[in-house]
PDB file of all heavy atoms in Angstrom:
ATOM      1  N   GLN X  67      15.017 -42.581 -49.881  1.00 96.00           N
ATOM      2  CA  GLN X  67      14.342 -41.494 -50.604  1.00 96.00           C
ATOM      3  C   GLN X  67      14.113 -41.917 -52.061  1.00 96.00           C
ATOM      4  O   GLN X  67      13.026 -41.721 -52.598  1.00 96.00           O
ATOM      5  CB  GLN X  67      15.175 -40.217 -50.526  1.00 96.00           C
ATOM      6  CG  GLN X  67      14.567 -39.039 -51.230  1.00 96.00           C
ATOM      7  CD  GLN X  67      15.454 -37.795 -51.154  1.00 96.00           C
ATOM      8  OE1 GLN X  67      16.490 -37.776 -50.488  1.00 96.00           O
ATOM      9  NE2 GLN X  67      15.050 -36.766 -51.831  1.00 96.00           N
ATOM     10  N   ASP X  68      15.138 -42.477 -52.696  1.00 97.00           N
ATOM     11  CA  ASP X  68      14.990 -42.941 -54.078  1.00 97.00           C
ATOM     12  C   ASP X  68      13.954 -44.066 -54.182  1.00 97.00           C
ATOM     13  O   ASP X  68      13.183 -44.127 -55.146  1.00 97.00           O
ATOM     14  CB  ASP X  68      16.344 -43.452 -54.627  1.00 97.00           C
ATOM     15  CG  ASP X  68      17.281 -42.331 -55.006  1.00 97.00           C
ATOM     16  OD1 ASP X  68      16.875 -41.145 -54.991  1.00 97.00           O
ATOM     17  OD2 ASP X  68      18.445 -42.647 -55.325  1.00 97.00           O
ATOM     18  N   ALA X  69      13.928 -44.958 -53.186  1.00 97.00           N
ATOM     19  CA  ALA X  69      12.947 -46.057 -53.201  1.00 97.00           C
ATOM     20  C   ALA X  69      11.527 -45.529 -53.126  1.00 97.00           C
ATOM     21  O   ALA X  69      10.641 -46.010 -53.860  1.00 97.00           O
ATOM     22  CB  ALA X  69      13.248 -47.024 -52.051  1.00 97.00           C
ATOM     23  N   LEU X  70      11.282 -44.574 -52.257  1.00 97.00           N
ATOM     24  CA  LEU X  70       9.938 -43.975 -52.178  1.00 97.00           C
ATOM     25  C   LEU X  70       9.547 -43.333 -53.500  1.00 97.00           C
ATOM     26  O   LEU X  70       8.403 -43.495 -53.974  1.00 97.00           O
ATOM     27  CB  LEU X  70       9.876 -42.946 -51.057  1.00 97.00           C
ATOM     28  CG  LEU X  70       9.548 -43.505 -49.675  1.00 97.00           C
ATOM     29  CD1 LEU X  70       9.797 -42.457 -48.588  1.00 97.00           C
ATOM     30  CD2 LEU X  70       8.102 -43.994 -49.615  1.00 97.00           C
ATOM     31  N   ALA X  71      10.465 -42.615 -54.120  1.00 97.00           N
ATOM     32  CA  ALA X  71      10.192 -41.988 -55.414  1.00 97.00           C
ATOM     33  C   ALA X  71       9.920 -43.037 -56.474  1.00 97.00           C
ATOM     34  O   ALA X  71       8.999 -42.896 -57.298  1.00 97.00           O
ATOM     35  CB  ALA X  71      11.375 -41.108 -55.818  1.00 97.00           C
ATOM     36  N   PHE X  72      10.706 -44.107 -56.502  1.00 97.00           N
ATOM     37  CA  PHE X  72      10.532 -45.191 -57.470  1.00 97.00           C
ATOM     38  C   PHE X  72       9.150 -45.838 -57.306  1.00 97.00           C
ATOM     39  O   PHE X  72       8.450 -46.052 -58.305  1.00 97.00           O
ATOM     40  CB  PHE X  72      11.640 -46.234 -57.284  1.00 97.00           C
ATOM     41  CG  PHE X  72      11.587 -47.362 -58.287  1.00 97.00           C
ATOM     42  CD1 PHE X  72      12.244 -47.272 -59.498  1.00 97.00           C
ATOM     43  CD2 PHE X  72      10.897 -48.533 -58.010  1.00 97.00           C
ATOM     44  CE1 PHE X  72      12.205 -48.307 -60.409  1.00 97.00           C
ATOM     45  CE2 PHE X  72      10.851 -49.573 -58.907  1.00 97.00           C
ATOM     46  CZ  PHE X  72      11.519 -49.461 -60.129  1.00 97.00           C
ATOM     47  N   LEU X  73       8.771 -46.149 -56.082  1.00 97.00           N
ATOM     48  CA  LEU X  73       7.470 -46.780 -55.843  1.00 97.00           C
ATOM     49  C   LEU X  73       6.332 -45.852 -56.254  1.00 97.00           C
ATOM     50  O   LEU X  73       5.327 -46.311 -56.828  1.00 97.00           O
ATOM     51  CB  LEU X  73       7.329 -47.181 -54.370  1.00 97.00           C
ATOM     52  CG  LEU X  73       8.293 -48.261 -53.887  1.00 97.00           C
ATOM     53  CD1 LEU X  73       8.060 -48.545 -52.398  1.00 97.00           C
ATOM     54  CD2 LEU X  73       8.188 -49.553 -54.680  1.00 97.00           C
ATOM     55  N   SER X  74       6.477 -44.549 -55.999  1.00 96.00           N
ATOM     56  CA  SER X  74       5.443 -43.587 -56.401  1.00 96.00           C
ATOM     57  C   SER X  74       5.344 -43.466 -57.918  1.00 96.00           C
ATOM     58  O   SER X  74       4.255 -43.433 -58.468  1.00 96.00           O
ATOM     59  CB  SER X  74       5.745 -42.209 -55.813  1.00 96.00           C
ATOM     60  OG  SER X  74       5.670 -42.261 -54.418  1.00 96.00           O
ATOM     61  N   THR X  75       6.479 -43.399 -58.558  1.00 97.00           N
ATOM     62  CA  THR X  75       6.523 -43.232 -60.008  1.00 97.00           C
ATOM     63  C   THR X  75       6.025 -44.451 -60.771  1.00 97.00           C
ATOM     64  O   THR X  75       5.367 -44.334 -61.797  1.00 97.00           O
ATOM     65  CB  THR X  75       7.969 -42.900 -60.473  1.00 97.00           C
ATOM     66  OG1 THR X  75       8.401 -41.722 -59.799  1.00 97.00           O
ATOM     67  CG2 THR X  75       8.049 -42.702 -61.956  1.00 97.00           C
ATOM     68  N   HIS X  76       6.309 -45.647 -60.245  1.00 97.00           N
ATOM     69  CA  HIS X  76       6.022 -46.889 -60.976  1.00 97.00           C
ATOM     70  C   HIS X  76       4.946 -47.753 -60.327  1.00 97.00           C
ATOM     71  O   HIS X  76       4.919 -48.962 -60.522  1.00 97.00           O
ATOM     72  CB  HIS X  76       7.314 -47.688 -61.127  1.00 97.00           C
ATOM     73  CG  HIS X  76       8.392 -46.934 -61.866  1.00 97.00           C
ATOM     74  ND1 HIS X  76       8.285 -46.625 -63.201  1.00 97.00           N
ATOM     75  CD2 HIS X  76       9.552 -46.407 -61.435  1.00 97.00           C
ATOM     76  CE1 HIS X  76       9.358 -45.945 -63.577  1.00 97.00           C
ATOM     77  NE2 HIS X  76      10.134 -45.799 -62.529  1.00 97.00           N
ATOM     78  N   THR X  77       4.012 -47.113 -59.598  1.00 97.00           N
ATOM     79  CA  THR X  77       2.966 -47.870 -58.906  1.00 97.00           C
ATOM     80  C   THR X  77       2.183 -48.780 -59.840  1.00 97.00           C
ATOM     81  O   THR X  77       1.970 -49.957 -59.536  1.00 97.00           O
ATOM     82  CB  THR X  77       2.000 -46.878 -58.202  1.00 97.00           C
ATOM     83  OG1 THR X  77       2.746 -46.105 -57.266  1.00 97.00           O
ATOM     84  CG2 THR X  77       0.893 -47.615 -57.490  1.00 97.00           C
ATOM     85  N   GLY X  78       1.771 -48.265 -60.982  1.00 96.00           N
ATOM     86  CA  GLY X  78       0.972 -49.049 -61.929  1.00 96.00           C
ATOM     87  C   GLY X  78       1.740 -50.237 -62.481  1.00 96.00           C
ATOM     88  O   GLY X  78       1.188 -51.364 -62.555  1.00 96.00           O
ATOM     89  N   ASP X  79       2.989 -50.028 -62.860  1.00 97.00           N
ATOM     90  CA  ASP X  79       3.790 -51.140 -63.397  1.00 97.00           C
ATOM     91  C   ASP X  79       4.053 -52.200 -62.334  1.00 97.00           C
ATOM     92  O   ASP X  79       4.007 -53.388 -62.627  1.00 97.00           O
ATOM     93  CB  ASP X  79       5.136 -50.622 -63.921  1.00 97.00           C
ATOM     94  CG  ASP X  79       5.015 -49.945 -65.284  1.00 97.00           C
ATOM     95  OD1 ASP X  79       4.173 -50.381 -66.092  1.00 97.00           O
ATOM     96  OD2 ASP X  79       5.765 -48.993 -65.535  1.00 97.00           O
ATOM     97  N   ILE X  80       4.333 -51.773 -61.102  1.00 97.00           N
ATOM     98  CA  ILE X  80       4.581 -52.719 -60.038  1.00 97.00           C
ATOM     99  C   ILE X  80       3.337 -53.538 -59.760  1.00 97.00           C
ATOM    100  O   ILE X  80       3.379 -54.760 -59.573  1.00 97.00           O
ATOM    101  CB  ILE X  80       5.135 -52.024 -58.777  1.00 97.00           C
ATOM    102  CG1 ILE X  80       6.502 -51.419 -59.084  1.00 97.00           C
ATOM    103  CG2 ILE X  80       5.203 -52.993 -57.613  1.00 97.00           C
ATOM    104  CD1 ILE X  80       7.019 -50.465 -58.014  1.00 97.00           C
ATOM    105  N   ALA X  81       2.160 -52.865 -59.741  1.00 96.00           N
ATOM    106  CA  ALA X  81       0.893 -53.593 -59.547  1.00 96.00           C
ATOM    107  C   ALA X  81       0.684 -54.625 -60.641  1.00 96.00           C
ATOM    108  O   ALA X  81       0.253 -55.750 -60.368  1.00 96.00           O
ATOM    109  CB  ALA X  81      -0.256 -52.604 -59.508  1.00 96.00           C
ATOM    110  N   LEU X  82       1.031 -54.273 -61.877  1.00 95.00           N
ATOM    111  CA  LEU X  82       0.922 -55.204 -62.997  1.00 95.00           C
ATOM    112  C   LEU X  82       1.830 -56.428 -62.789  1.00 95.00           C
ATOM    113  O   LEU X  82       1.400 -57.564 -62.993  1.00 95.00           O
ATOM    114  CB  LEU X  82       1.280 -54.486 -64.305  1.00 95.00           C
ATOM    115  CG  LEU X  82       1.307 -55.339 -65.563  1.00 95.00           C
ATOM    116  CD1 LEU X  82      -0.105 -55.786 -65.922  1.00 95.00           C
ATOM    117  CD2 LEU X  82       1.924 -54.562 -66.709  1.00 95.00           C
ATOM    118  N   LEU X  83       3.073 -56.184 -62.368  1.00 95.00           N
ATOM    119  CA  LEU X  83       4.010 -57.292 -62.151  1.00 95.00           C
ATOM    120  C   LEU X  83       3.616 -58.156 -60.991  1.00 95.00           C
ATOM    121  O   LEU X  83       3.924 -59.358 -60.957  1.00 95.00           O
ATOM    122  CB  LEU X  83       5.426 -56.727 -61.926  1.00 95.00           C
ATOM    123  CG  LEU X  83       6.040 -55.954 -63.096  1.00 95.00           C
ATOM    124  CD1 LEU X  83       7.358 -55.312 -62.675  1.00 95.00           C
ATOM    125  CD2 LEU X  83       6.237 -56.853 -64.298  1.00 95.00           C
TER     126      LEU X  83
END
Side-chain angles (χ1 to χ4, degrees):
Q67 181 181 354
D68 283 353
L70 273 168
F72 183 89
L73 295 179
S74 295
T75 302
H76 300 293
T77 301
D79 282 326
I80 294 168
L82 176 68
L83 297 173

